[in-house]
Amino acid sequence: MSEGVKDRYKRINYFKSELNNYRYYQQRLEELKLELEVIEYDLQGVKGISYGGTSIENKESQAEKDMKKMLLIQQKGEVERKIDSTKQAIVKIDYVLSMICNEFKELIMRLYILENTSYKEQLEKFKYTSLSTLKRDVDREIYRCIKSLY
């Protein structure tokens, strides 16, 4: 197999793995947004009402407060970077899916995103007689859409 063909299959397989991760990316994005909300809430420094006098045991020094705030700011930056990279992955997958023709889009969605079914299960539905022809056509359509991206 030539280097060009190997590279082509690497790209196709990479995109297929990204398709398999698509639902994970969506769930992870929601988790990260919630994590960011918690950090932003903590940064506001909202405190409960104290009905008693100030306790010496619970009183933090200004240095400790500043350290906690710096740590929260650092965590916020990390979470924001994770959100950005996750959004980029989702957008890239959506972009490629938008370029795929409708016949193959449904098939690819069934194979990799919605149902995680096998190629064999899709043979009849998409009126293919050969498993290798189905795989080849799917790979060809994916490559047509990703060759400029990956």
Side-chain angles (χ1 to χ4, degrees):
M1 211 183 297
S2 70
E3 282 298 315
V5 174
K6 284 181 184 178
D7 183 54
R8 178 180 174 161
Y9 284 111
K10 272 186 179 177
R11 289 171 160 191
I12 291 168
N13 288 330
Y14 177 76
F15 184 70
K16 286 178 180 179
S17 73
E18 288 293 285
L19 286 170
N20 282 328
N21 292 330
Y22 188 73
R23 284 192 301 195
Y24 166 77
Y25 289 146
Q26 291 176 325
Q27 292 169 348
R28 183 68 179 138
L29 183 60
E30 293 305 313
E31 291 170 3
L32 289 168
K33 286 179 180 179
L34 288 174
E35 193 175 324
L36 184 62
E37 282 182 32
V38 169
I39 292 171
E40 287 174 344
Y41 180 81
D42 289 344
L43 274 171
Q44 291 174 0
V46 179
K47 304 280 187 224
I49 298 172
S50 173
Y51 293 106
T54 44
S55 170
I56 297 174
E57 297 169 4
N58 294 332
K59 192 167 178 118
E60 292 179 300
S61 70
Q62 188 61 39
E64 288 172 330
K65 288 179 185 177
D66 291 343
M67 286 296 289
K68 283 184 180 180
K69 190 169 187 167
M70 290 298 292
L71 182 62
L72 286 171
I73 290 170
Q74 182 182 5
Q75 288 174 344
K76 181 181 177 188
E78 290 172 14
V79 170
E80 288 172 337
R81 282 188 291 282
K82 288 177 185 177
I83 287 173
D84 288 342
S85 68
T86 305
K87 279 183 182 178
Q88 286 175 359
I90 291 171
V91 166
K92 193 180 276 191
I93 293 168
D94 286 340
Y95 177 72
V96 172
L97 287 174
S98 72
M99 294 171 42
I100 294 174
C101 72
N102 287 335
E103 175 190 346
F104 285 106
K105 185 183 293 186
E106 182 183 351
L107 174 61
I108 289 169
M109 295 284 283
R110 285 172 172 266
L111 288 169
Y112 297 102
I113 297 174
L114 301 175
E115 301 170 9
N116 265 347
T117 60
S118 69
Y119 280 92
K120 286 182 183 179
E121 293 175 37
Q122 302 303 320
L123 274 174
E124 280 184 36
K125 177 159 179 40
F126 290 92
K127 296 177 177 50
Y128 276 88
T129 55
S130 166
L131 188 60
S132 62
T133 305
L134 177 61
K135 287 181 177 183
R136 184 185 65 231
D137 287 352
V138 167
D139 285 354
R140 185 180 295 139
E141 183 65 18
I142 288 174
Y143 186 70
R144 182 186 68 77
C145 298
I146 66 167
K147 61 185 169 188
S148 62
L149 293 176
Y150 293 100

